[in-house]
Amino acid sequence: MAAHTDPPSTPRRPWRGVGADERQARRRAQLVEAAFTIMGTEGAAAVTMRGVCREAKLTERYFYESFSAREELLVTVLDEVARQAKAVLEKTLQDSAPAAGDLVRPVVRAFTEFVTADPRRGRVLFVESLAAPELAARGGELVAEFTATIAQALRSPGLAGEDADDRDVALNAQAVFGALAYLFQDWLSGRADIGRERFVEHVAQVIEQLARVTSVPLPR
């Protein structure tokens, strides 16, 4: 009896010079951008599979080509915006010279520019990541990642109090993140009616004050 052999698989042919994998990657990017638009303007609750496909101008069958569920797409959008924001923070921290005496203001200014350049970013980062139940777990993980970056900055010379220990720095980093989240929420929504330069200066001073808080020498 002859051994059974599977027929050779049909190669995925390029279409108009674009390979199948690249076409799929483009469709995925369209879906992410569409979800970002809806999430950043109407909120995570408004993101549906049909709505995203309609915004992306793709048929619904392509949704499950890239995402197993709506929740996976929401997390992908949040991750992408957070990745961009973190890159801005890290680059500015790297480029800013602590010896110049002002590390905080360049970072606050760069981050403010990032969220105001596209208002959708601010809503995804400061509203939906904290309010949408589907994003609660990932949002908590991202808070930990951002506070770690903030803690690194707070250890810079001249920022932390002279007697501050690692516990002080960790607690202060969490306080800074919480303060920034609510300050940016209010300012981006228009509730805090002040200009950009005053806002940047106010946020910078809040960070500087929080960075110096220490509970040493109280016991752990």
Side-chain angles (χ1 to χ4, degrees), residues 195-212:
R196 177 182 299 205
E197 284 307 309
R198 181 173 175 181
F199 178 75
V200 168
E201 178 60 26
H202 192 93
V203 171
Q205 290 194 34
V206 167
I207 294 172
E208 289 171 341
Q209 293 297 319
L210 288 174
R212 296 187 180 97

Side-chain angles (χ1 to χ4, degrees), residues 22-23 27 47 53 61 65 76 142-144 148 153-155 160 162-163 179 182 195 218:
E22 185 176 347
R23 293 201 306 274
R27 289 192 292 268
V47 177
C53 291
R61 72 186 180 91
E65 173 186 63
T76 299
L142 287 172
V143 168
L154 296 186
R155 290 187 176 92
E162 292 182 3
D163 298 325
Y182 285 103
L218 293 176

Side-chain angles (χ1 to χ4, degrees), residues 49-122:
M49 183 268 287
R50 289 182 178 177
V52 168
C53 291
R54 185 165 53 249
E55 178 73 22
K57 296 179 173 56
L58 292 171
T59 59
E60 294 174 13
R61 72 186 180 91
Y62 287 124
F63 183 91
Y64 293 105
E65 173 186 63
S66 296
F67 301 100
S68 60
R70 166 183 171 274
E71 289 74 16
E72 183 184 354
L73 175 58
L74 291 177
V75 171
T76 299
V77 172
L78 176 59
D79 276 346
E80 177 58 22
V81 178
R83 181 194 65 77
Q84 295 173 11
K86 195 174 179 185
V88 168
L89 290 176
E90 291 176 343
K91 183 179 187 305
T92 310
L93 285 169
Q94 186 177 19
D95 293 346
S96 300
D102 189 2
L103 175 68
V104 176
R105 282 161 188 79
V107 173
V108 175
R109 192 169 288 110
F111 188 75
T112 302
E113 175 60 32
F114 171 76
V115 294
T116 54
D118 187 338
R120 296 174 297 178
R121 296 168 177 167

